Amino acid sequence: MGLPPYLRIASELRARIASGELRAGQRVPSTRGITEEWGVALATATKALAVLREEGLVRAVPGVGTIVGGGTPDAVVPGPPRRGRRRETPPLTRERIVRTAIALADAGGSDALSMRAVAAELGVSTVVLYRHVTAKDELVALVVDAVFGEVRLPGRGPDGRRARLEASARAQWALYRRHPWLAKSVSTMRLSLSPNAMRLLEWTAAPAVECGLGTAVTLAAFVRGIAVDLEDPVDERLGLGPDAMLEFGLARLLDGLAPRVPERRPPGEGRR
């Protein structure tokens, strides 16, 4: 009986590192790249990269992906301690845990967002991690809130309600584009649990106060609905990529919302 697929893939990537085909600092294939090259599921690709991370051969870098670390396959075999100054490890904090979790998810997708993977990346046991984060649900909530905190909203939004809704939709889409795993990790109906997400919804609804938050939530649900497939390969036969789908659907949605979100007329306009 042969090795499980994820171990076989890890072995082949390990060999590339050992031969110098993949050198320190170079990006290794992403989870999507692995699924395409080896024809496996995303979960299998995630497990393969997790094996290499646990061995110290690769590491996740925010905004870059998974890169080859400074070690080689031989380096995972215990040897005599190295002499010299010992590098101090930063203290384990919630902020560091959240940053690490985001980097892992950016590199490995939604399946990489687990307590075990984060603990392995930080070089601690899951027991130690649970002292700072009580459960995976809390970890995901912290990560989602931190990511929504990346959205920088202008103090004064665009003039006109439709323009404000468009600006909000594109800000959310840009966030999902940077973090393709996010849509699968957040629930539109639970955005109120994230202070940063609520800040975005309230900014979106500000010019449409007559409609309450319903319009903002509907818009958020639409954007998330398209973004939820960003981790999956695009079927070229559809002839429509995710960005084009977003723009086409957004225009139709705002057309439909127009009667409920009328433009505010300047003072005196329309009066006789």
Side-chain angles (χ1 to χ4, degrees):
M1 228 179 134
L3 290 173
Y6 78 96
L7 288 180
R8 177 171 55 82
I9 294 168
S11 177
E12 292 184 27
L13 290 174
R14 193 184 296 113
R16 293 183 189 181
I17 296 171
S19 68
E21 181 182 344
L22 290 172
R23 298 185 299 275
Q26 285 189 317
R27 287 185 61 182
V28 300
S30 65
T31 50
R32 181 173 295 181
I34 291 174
T35 62
E36 293 174 354
E37 183 175 349
W38 278 275
V40 295
L42 190 64
T44 301
T46 301
K47 288 176 69 176
L49 290 179
V51 169
L52 298 180
R53 278 197 301 270
E54 291 176 6
E55 294 176 353
L57 294 177
V58 301
R59 60 190 177 89
V61 177
V64 175
T66 300
I67 66 169
V68 178
T72 65
D74 293 336
V76 302
V77 180
R82 295 181 180 178
R83 294 182 179 181
R85 178 177 293 181
R86 185 178 179 183
R87 187 171 61 181
E88 293 185 3
T89 302
L92 189 61
T93 62
R94 270 195 171 194
E95 182 183 359
R96 186 174 166 221
I97 291 169
V98 169
R99 286 201 313 266
T100 300
I102 292 172
L104 282 175
D106 284 345
S110 54
D111 289 339
L113 192 57
S114 70
M115 297 289 281
R116 181 180 177 183
V118 173
E121 184 71 13
L122 290 168
V124 301
S125 69
T126 51
V127 173
V128 172
L129 201 64
Y130 278 117
R131 295 174 188 167
H132 299 268
V133 181
T134 58
K136 181 184 175 181
D137 285 348
E138 183 182 13
L139 175 65
V140 172
L142 291 170
V143 164
V144 167
D145 189 53
V147 170
F148 269 97
E150 295 176 9
V151 178
R152 295 291 177 262
L153 299 172
R156 174 185 172 127
D159 292 331
R161 300 179 185 182
R162 179 166 181 140
R164 173 74 68 106
L165 294 173
E166 287 179 342
S168 176
R170 294 199 172 95
Q172 293 174 60
W173 182 247
L175 200 64
Y176 288 124
R177 269 305 206 179
R178 286 198 302 276
H179 307 286
W181 52 270
L182 178 61
K184 293 181 180 178
S185 302
V186 66
S187 166
T188 305
M189 295 298 101
R190 301 184 69 188
L191 286 178
S192 60
L193 299 180
S194 165
N196 284 319
M198 276 303 297
R199 179 175 58 89
L200 174 59
L201 291 179
E202 289 166 356
W203 182 88
T204 305
V209 65
E210 297 90 343
C211 301
L213 284 172
T215 300
V217 173
T218 299
L219 184 70
F222 163 74
V223 177
R224 176 182 173 269
I226 295 179
V228 80
D229 291 326
L230 284 176
E231 283 191 309
D232 302 324
V234 175
D235 188 341
E236 301 295 340
R237 294 173 297 178
L238 295 177
L240 193 64
D243 294 303
M245 192 178 300
L246 183 281
E247 291 299 328
F248 178 82
L250 178 61
R252 306 291 82 73
L253 175 65
L254 295 180
D255 287 344
L257 287 174
R260 293 186 55 80
V261 191
E263 294 289 344
R264 182 181 290 126
R265 293 182 178 179
E269 184 177 320
R271 294 178 183 175
R272 299 284 184 183

